[in-house]
Amino acid sequence: MKSASSSLNRRQFLSSAACASVGAVVASTTVAAEAKRHPLKLGFDNFSIRALGWKAPKLLEYAAAQHVDTILFSDLDVYENHSDAYLKDLKAKADDLGIEVQAGTGGICPSSTRFSDKWGTAEEHLKLTIRVANRLGSKAARCYQGFGADRRSPGGLPARMKDTVKVCKAVESFAKDHGVTIAIENHAGDMQAWQLKQLIEEAGPDYVGATIDSGNATWTLEDPLLNLEILAPYVVSSGIRDSMIWEYEDGAKVQWTAMGAGNTNVKRYLERFAELCPDAPVQLEIISGFAKEFPYLTKTFWQGYEDIRGPEFASFLALAKTGKPIPPFKPGPNEDKAEATKAYQKAELEESLRYCRKELGLGRKSVS
């Protein structure tokens, strides 16, 4: 026979569980209502329409015509020059058009397989980016460590991460003095989310954060949603796109897509983004039209990928089982390839902006 106290404890437990469940529903509803009142800022990375070759002023005019809230200038070549006078005029133009600018650049790891000294040493390169960001009113300086090929470089990713931390620490006071967060991206198959988190914590999360890239997560055999759950506390910038992932005889293929054209559940992803990163902009970096193979069923693949964790890989495999092959982009037989590529990139971005507004409720500007 059960005692009165055990029956009471069971009733108390069930009552507490019910209250917790109701509380979770109320909290979820509150978050959804808040997201509707204050939707995420919507913008794009200029790399989405890279084939057009536009400089910053033209890109700002295009951004205004698309009624976006933000734009990420993700490279230093987008400017005619880096003088204070030029950047001051550019900021004034952005302010007049009501566009928030984020500034960025490429790789800052001096030992990466594809590091370029075009902008000087890694420290000089990063300082230039921080100064440009400051002059444009950007609180973030987007950059990345390197590429997937660094996994097979001497010392692998741990050595590259160590060198990247060293560069960040060398410019710590400069970044803080300029009020800019170094926003490192999970880039092109280099770090999984847990590794980028480790790098940020080691460098110092008071001046180093994350540029979260949902497409690049799939190139490190991660579900973008799991990547978001790990990186969310550090996110200050973003590069967002959808992906289609499907199985083939040697493993899986990944093809980045326009928003809504993949199988990574972008609706749920951006619901969680709104809950976890409400102040960060959703900046579309649409890079579509080709597939990348990940032959993880072959023995040679795993050199350099020994650090891939079980939960991340399992989440990726689950996505791969739900996908289907899609055709790559290919200009028509009578089309000029360069012009067709320009039209394709522009159409993919504009369709993605439309989808984010109409289907996901993103963006703070009304569009007639």
Side-chain angles (χ1 to χ4, degrees), residues 10-221:
R10 183 174 183 275
R11 287 198 300 272
Q12 288 174 333
F13 171 78
L14 292 174
S15 176
S16 297
C19 288
S21 178
V22 170
V25 171
V26 171
S28 178
T29 303
T30 300
V31 168
E34 183 64 18
K36 191 171 182 179
R37 286 195 298 270
H38 301 287
L40 292 166
K41 289 180 283 188
L42 178 63
F44 66 92
D45 181 333
N46 68 293
F47 195 72
S48 296
I49 48 174
R50 57 205 174 278
L52 295 171
W54 290 343
K55 294 294 186 180
K58 176 67 174 176
L59 285 162
L60 281 176
E61 292 168 7
Y62 175 75
Q66 297 303 312
H67 304 281
V68 298
D69 306 298
T70 69
I71 187 169
L72 170 59
F73 293 139
S74 60
D75 64 89
L76 293 172
D77 286 311
V78 74
Y79 313 104
E80 282 94 345
N81 62 74
H82 303 126
S83 69
D84 282 354
Y86 171 82
L87 296 172
K88 181 181 179 181
D89 287 345
L90 193 63
K91 184 181 186 306
K93 183 180 181 72
D95 290 344
D96 288 343
L97 294 171
I99 305 294
E100 177 186 325
V101 174
Q102 286 199 329
T105 193
I108 62 164
C109 177
S111 59
S112 171
T113 53
R114 291 170 60 179
F115 176 74
S116 170
D117 61 0
K118 178 178 181 177
W119 307 109
T121 66
E123 289 85 358
E124 290 168 344
H125 182 182
L126 188 49
K127 280 187 174 183
L128 171 60
T129 309
I130 291 168
R131 184 180 68 79
V132 169
N134 172 267
R135 300 303 189 266
L136 292 175
S138 173
K139 298 297 184 183
R142 173 266 188 184
C143 56
Y144 54 78
Q145 175 173 281
F147 295 82
D150 293 335
R151 289 178 165 274
R152 291 170 175 162
S153 63
L157 283 188
R160 308 291 77 73
M161 291 165 64
K162 182 178 180 181
D163 290 342
T164 302
V165 168
K166 188 181 298 183
V167 172
C168 290
K169 287 186 173 180
V171 303
E172 177 178 355
S173 60
F174 189 83
K176 289 179 176 178
D177 289 345
H178 283 73
V180 172
T181 297
I182 301 168
I184 302 175
E185 181 181 307
N186 54 305
H187 185 256
D190 61 1
M191 292 176 285
Q192 287 195 319
W194 68 272
Q195 292 166 311
L196 180 51
K197 174 184 176 180
Q198 183 182 85
L199 186 157
I200 292 168
E201 288 289 344
E202 186 174 346
D206 56 329
Y207 74 103
V208 179
T211 296
I212 192 167
D213 190 305
S214 58
N216 285 337
T218 64
W219 276 23
T220 54
L221 309 183

Side-chain angles (χ1 to χ4, degrees), residues 221 246-248 250-253 294-299 301-302 313 316-317 320:
L221 309 183
W246 69 92
E247 294 179 315
Y248 80 113
D250 288 334
K253 294 184 182 183
F294 293 90
Y296 49 73
L297 295 178
T298 64
K299 292 181 179 179
F301 171 80
W302 289 98
F313 190 44
F316 177 86
L317 292 178

Side-chain angles (χ1 to χ4, degrees), residues 161-366:
M161 291 165 64
K162 182 178 180 181
D163 290 342
T164 302
V165 168
K166 188 181 298 183
V167 172
C168 290
K169 287 186 173 180
V171 303
E172 177 178 355
S173 60
F174 189 83
K176 289 179 176 178
D177 289 345
H178 283 73
V180 172
T181 297
I182 301 168
I184 302 175
E185 181 181 307
N186 54 305
H187 185 256
D190 61 1
M191 292 176 285
Q192 287 195 319
W194 68 272
Q195 292 166 311
L196 180 51
K197 174 184 176 180
Q198 183 182 85
L199 186 157
I200 292 168
E201 288 289 344
E202 186 174 346
D206 56 329
Y207 74 103
V208 179
T211 296
I212 192 167
D213 190 305
S214 58
N216 285 337
T218 64
W219 276 23
T220 54
L221 309 183
E222 292 176 282
D223 179 343
L225 186 58
L226 179 56
N227 177 277
L228 172 63
E229 296 287 347
I230 294 171
L231 287 179
Y234 310 96
V235 171
V236 293
S237 187
S238 67
I240 305 298
R241 59 192 167 279
D242 204 349
S243 302
M244 179 65 77
I245 307 167
W246 69 92
E247 294 179 315
Y248 80 113
E249 60 269 20
D250 288 334
K253 294 184 182 183
V254 175
Q255 185 159 321
W256 293 331
T257 70
M259 297 296 284
N263 68 326
T264 60
N265 196 354
V266 291
K267 182 176 181 180
R268 179 56 185 153
Y269 180 91
L270 288 165
E271 285 174 349
R272 283 300 282 160
F273 196 104
E275 293 167 1
L276 300 172
C277 317
D279 298 322
V282 173
Q283 294 172 142
L284 304 183
E285 187 185 16
I286 308 302
I287 313 170
S288 50
F290 67 96
K292 182 174 174 62
E293 295 182 354
F294 293 90
Y296 49 73
L297 295 178
T298 64
K299 292 181 179 179
T300 55
F301 171 80
W302 289 98
Q303 181 189 352
Y305 285 84
E306 297 88 351
D307 57 352
I308 297 296
R309 302 196 310 188
E312 279 80 357
F313 190 44
S315 68
F316 177 86
L317 292 178
L319 282 176
K321 291 186 178 300
T322 70
K324 61 182 181 181
I326 56 176
F329 164 69
K330 187 177 180 181
N334 298 318
E335 287 186 291
D336 178 82
K337 183 177 180 181
E339 292 304 314
T341 300
K342 292 176 184 179
Y344 175 74
Q345 290 181 3
K346 194 166 177 284
E348 289 282 281
L349 174 58
E350 291 177 10
E351 170 57 25
S352 295
L353 289 170
R354 185 208 65 78
Y355 180 88
C356 286
R357 286 196 183 93
K358 300 295 184 183
E359 303 298 328
L360 306 179
L362 274 60
R364 297 183 180 179
K365 293 180 179 176
S366 59

